[in-house]
Amino acid sequence: MTYAPPTNDYLFLLRDVLAIDQYAALPGFADAGLETVTQILDEGGKFAAEVLAPLNGVGDKHGCQWHADNSVTTPPGFKDAYREMTDGGWPLMNADPDWGGQGLPSVVSLCFSEMCSSANMAFAMYPGLTHGAYAALRVGGSQALKDVYLAKMAAFQWAGTMNLTEPQCGTDLGLIRTKAVPQADGTYKISGQKIWISGGEQDLTENIVHLVLARIEGGPAGVKGISLFVVPKFIPDGQGNPGVRNAVLCLGLEEKMGIHGNATCVMGYEEATGWLVGEEHQGLKVMFVMMNEARLGVGLQGIAVAEAAYQAARAFAGERLQMRAISGPKHPALPADPIIVHPDVRRLLLDQRAIIEGGRAFLLWTALHGDLAHVHPDAAAREKGEDYMALLTPVLKGFLTDRGFKACSDAVQVHGGSGFTEHFPVSQYLRDSRITLIYEGTNGIQALDLVGRKLAAKGGRAIMGFLAELDAFAAENQADAALKPFVDALAGAKAQLQEGTLWLMQNGVANPDAAGAASHDYMHLFGLTGLAYVWALMAKAAHSNLAAGRDADFARGKLAVGRYFVERVLPDTAAHLAKMKAGAAAMMAAEAL
Ligand SMILES: Cc1cc2nc3c(=O)[nH]c(=O)nc-3n(C[C@H](O)[C@H](O)[C@H](O)COP(=O)(O)OP(=O)(O)OC[C@H]3O[C@@H](n4cnc5c(N)ncnc54)[C@H](O)[C@@H]3O)c2cc1C
């Protein structure tokens, strides 16, 4: 099974749906013309398909090895692939030009990230986390820290990690025990144990830069007393090269369900030297920069792995011969018809496609707003970009990974018993994608973040802006007969999302359990409504392409999947709204559990 990068889909989204060329006058976008973007997609796709994809099964089978000297070896081939990635300059694509990057918008670089995660999620996590750590240091680090670390991290010469989790603390960071003791020279001695640290040790880079949450001795209890530190594996010398070994060691690796090619490490800090990032006790604020970036990246993993699983399932369904079509044989010359003729197999495949293509569009649409939040000259556009990024990050993380995992499960189902064996790749995709619902804040926590913090932020400005944007699109396109099914579906979903939002406002404050009980369904109602919007945007662009005689086959395929989404996926909104409105009583009944 080979992975085929969906470059046509990215081009359609960037060129026809999001029309990123309209921003060509803005920093970064100026260098993201159609020619450059096409080249990035082609070359990036080649790297993902030819270098990373062949290593996906290798990583799964070999895993990472821990050695008694506390070193870790990544699976065969990972080191060379990593070198090829850095030599090719891929890491620099959307890094800041001040630190040697090209400064391209995220909406472009995320296409490359998705291809890498589809091809080999475990590998792609190493650069993915480095990018998040780089972003946190860029925002929160002192000039001195930036000077030492950022250029090396932008080039992925030095990797980054995030160290939050401890044995007694996962979701509840207020329980962190790792301690930091101030030293006379302005540094801190960091001591404690962190668990499940992705890429905590590896053999891919010359240095590893750990971003560590710890409590400064005597600091306030709970999350208010947490600070963020840079703790490098090798302390940089005066010339910015890796110097003395720091007192941080990988004490072991976790055996786990999937992503075997990514080292999940137990990390021991024994008075390791650390440098404060940002202000004392304000560590979570800066760490959130990394966490938000990582959350978007995890939403992306959700659809990326689903894309690879879909491709495998689609190929299998075209080849596996079982039974005749219920409407009569479709391939009489064969002993049986390929299973793709059966309605239920088509349901499984189209459920996947509708979510993957809609999810990709929603993610890139949001990422574009994130880019505009940084570079748009108009303050209102920057504010809207920030609002949307904050509001939609938990939706993209939680909804896309829930549905991405289901898509991987559907891909296994298409394979029948073969899908449960290790002879086919879908078993690995299903195992790999399961973690996306858990790390970077479980999906339950994303849903709580959405209803508890993001909706109410700034007087509800972001959700009101989002709902108004959907209304405006529906009003503008009401008269377009070709778009009517999409516009009507969007208007219906939007009305339900609005009703669900009002219900939360009326019931959630008086009864927090009602908000908690509704949060999962609200997140899904939100995600589906977001997809209804981007499917309408895609339908509009596909119709224009058809009218212009451009990419007609692609446009017809897009419209067919869009129609399936509207008729057979979107109606789930009603069930989610009904479940929300049932309230918390049955869930919280003492006798029930
Ligand atoms: C492979 C892997 C890689 C990881 N990589 C990293 C890494 O690089 N860095 C890092 O710091 N951590 C990492 N983690 C840790 C990960 O982020 C945590 O597992 C995650 O945050 C959840 O914490 P927990 O496992 O302790 O679950 P818990 O916090 O114990 O939660 C258990 C369950 O209870 C639910 N729950 C808890 N509190 C609430 C609440 N208030 N309301 C509703 N539900 C609640 C959760 O949603 C979950 O379903 C990794 C984990 C794994 C398995």
Side-chain angles (χ1 to χ4, degrees):
M1 168 66 207
T2 50
Y3 163 67
T7 35
N8 281 349
D9 206 29
Y10 298 128
L11 257 189
F12 170 68
L13 290 170
L14 297 174
R15 183 192 58 201
D16 304 333
V17 180
L18 304 174
I20 63 166
D21 59 349
Q22 67 186 295
Y23 307 110
L26 303 184
F29 285 90
D31 299 321
L34 192 58
E35 210 174 305
T36 312
V37 167
T38 309
Q39 206 179 353
I40 288 172
L41 295 175
D42 286 346
E43 290 302 314
K46 231 186 256 172
F47 173 72
E50 293 173 12
V51 179
L52 297 187
L55 296 175
N56 199 34
V58 177
D60 190 47
K61 301 239 162 13
H62 286 260
C64 296
Q65 307 296 323
W66 181 82
H67 308 284
D69 64 355
N70 305 98
S71 65
V72 167
T73 314
T74 55
F78 272 40
K79 242 176 136 161
D80 289 341
Y82 194 90
R83 197 173 309 117
E84 200 166 321
M85 177 184 70
T86 46
D87 287 353
W90 290 108
L92 298 171
M93 206 187 324
N94 82 329
D96 193 328
D98 287 351
W99 306 107
Q102 289 168 261
L104 286 176
S106 298
V107 70
V108 174
S109 65
L110 282 174
C111 300
F112 175 67
S113 304
E114 190 203 315
M115 294 190 279
C116 293
S117 287
S118 292
N120 194 328
M121 173 175 157
F123 178 95
M125 283 173 67
Y126 294 108
L129 280 159
T130 300
H131 199 272
Y134 157 89
L137 265 182
R138 193 165 67 93
V139 169
S142 64
Q143 192 58 42
L145 286 180
K146 290 182 192 178
D147 289 343
V148 173
Y149 291 100
L150 284 188
K152 301 270 190 193
M153 291 176 77
F156 293 179
Q157 234 173 311
W158 294 2
T161 70
M162 64 192 293
N163 289 239
L164 291 76
T165 309
E166 299 179 9
Q168 77 294 347
C169 107
T171 297
D172 190 350
L173 295 173
L175 301 175
I176 278 179
R177 285 194 198 134
T178 297
K179 84 174 175 194
V181 180
Q183 305 297 298
D185 63 359
T187 64
Y188 292 77
K189 290 287 177 217
I190 313 289
S191 303
Q193 193 181 80
K194 297 284 179 181
I195 60 168
W196 304 336
I197 304 308
S198 302
E201 183 57 73
Q202 33 80 358
D203 56 357
L204 306 173
T205 58
E206 62 183 25
N207 204 357
I208 304 177
V209 182
H210 303 291
L211 288 190
V212 184
L213 285 182
R215 195 179 298 284
I216 295 175
E217 240 186 2
V223 286
K224 293 203 177 89
I226 296 176
S227 305
L228 181 65
F229 299 89
V230 166
V231 184
K233 175 178 167 185
F234 293 103
I235 297 174
D237 65 16
Q239 282 73 51
N241 298 313
V244 179
R245 183 76 164 89
N246 206 351
V248 45
L249 291 175
C250 173
L251 305 177
L253 292 182
E254 211 62 58
E255 282 194 21
K256 53 197 196 291
M257 179 192 281
I259 53 164
H260 295 155
N262 194 269
T264 305
C265 305
V266 178
M267 302 299 295
Y269 293 82
E270 297 265 357
E271 300 203 332
T273 305
W275 284 260
L276 185 68
V277 181
E279 289 172 34
E280 285 189 356
H281 317 315
Q282 303 289 320
L284 268 188
K285 251 195 231 162
V286 185
M287 197 54 141
F288 260 110
V289 175
M290 177 161 190
M291 281 150 75
N292 279 335
E293 165 133 350
R295 282 173 181 178
L296 207 68
V298 176
L300 188 79
Q301 286 177 335
I303 51 161
V305 182
E307 166 73 39
Y310 164 75
Q311 289 188 17
R314 173 66 184 80
F316 184 89
E319 286 165 11
R320 175 73 172 163
L321 308 180
Q322 288 293 295
M323 308 284 286
R324 289 296 179 190
I326 37 181
S327 54
K330 296 283 183 276
H331 297 269
L334 298 174
D337 283 332
I339 59 171
I340 199 165
V341 304
H342 304 309
D344 195 56
V345 173
R346 299 182 72 82
R347 171 185 69 82
L348 292 165
L349 290 169
L350 281 164
D351 272 4
Q352 294 168 59
R353 253 193 100 169
I355 290 292
I356 294 163
E357 292 179 18
R360 176 180 295 133
F362 195 25
L363 203 132
L364 292 186
W365 178 85
T366 310
L368 173 61
H369 282 292
D371 285 325
L372 297 180
H374 295 302
V375 297
H376 206 286
D378 175 15
R382 290 199 303 275
E383 183 179 279
K384 180 171 150 185
E386 272 170 28
D387 282 356
Y388 280 3
M389 277 296 277
L391 177 71
L392 298 176
T393 297
V395 180
L396 292 168
K397 195 281 180 183
F399 171 71
L400 292 186
T401 58
D402 273 356
R403 296 296 299 232
F405 176 70
K406 182 180 176 298
C408 291
S409 177
D410 287 345
V412 170
Q413 192 69 16
V414 169
H415 281 73
S418 304
F420 199 71
T421 71
E422 296 294 331
H423 296 297
F424 288 84
V426 278
S427 158
Q428 184 190 349
Y429 294 138
L430 183 72
R431 290 184 286 102
D432 283 355
S433 77
R434 189 61 186 84
I435 186 60
T436 62
L437 286 67
I438 297 171
Y439 60 18
E440 292 315 330
T442 61
N443 286 0
I445 297 305
Q446 301 303 323
L448 282 182
D449 180 42
L450 175 66
V451 303
R453 292 178 53 228
K454 299 298 172 61
L455 281 185
K458 297 173 182 149
R461 193 174 72 193
I463 177 71
M464 287 191 293
F466 184 70
L467 293 172
E469 177 162 348
L470 307 195
D471 275 341
F473 178 88
E476 266 168 40
N477 294 282
Q478 201 95 50
D480 186 334
L483 272 190
K484 188 168 166 35
F486 291 94
V487 171
D488 288 352
L490 172 62
K494 182 256 159 188
Q496 288 171 322
L497 179 61
Q498 185 154 347
E499 192 178 337
T501 309
L502 276 176
W503 187 91
L504 277 174
M505 285 162 62
Q506 285 158 358
N507 296 275
V509 179
N511 178 6
D513 275 343
S519 59
H520 169 87
D521 286 293
Y522 182 73
M523 180 174 78
H524 277 261
L525 171 56
F526 207 135
L528 287 165
T529 307
L531 260 55
Y533 181 41
V534 292
W535 268 115
L537 294 175
M538 289 193 282
K540 193 174 162 116
H543 276 299
S544 322
N545 281 357
L546 272 183
R550 183 159 78 166
D551 299 341
D553 286 348
F554 180 89
R556 273 192 285 272
K558 196 51 94 178
L559 288 167
V561 181
R563 178 180 174 193
Y564 181 91
F565 171 80
V566 162
E567 291 179 13
R568 301 198 60 100
V569 179
L570 190 59
D572 286 353
T573 50
H576 289 301
L577 182 60
K579 284 195 269 182
M580 282 183 68
K581 288 164 72 178
M587 203 179 278
M588 301 310 284
E591 314 76 61
L593 284 173

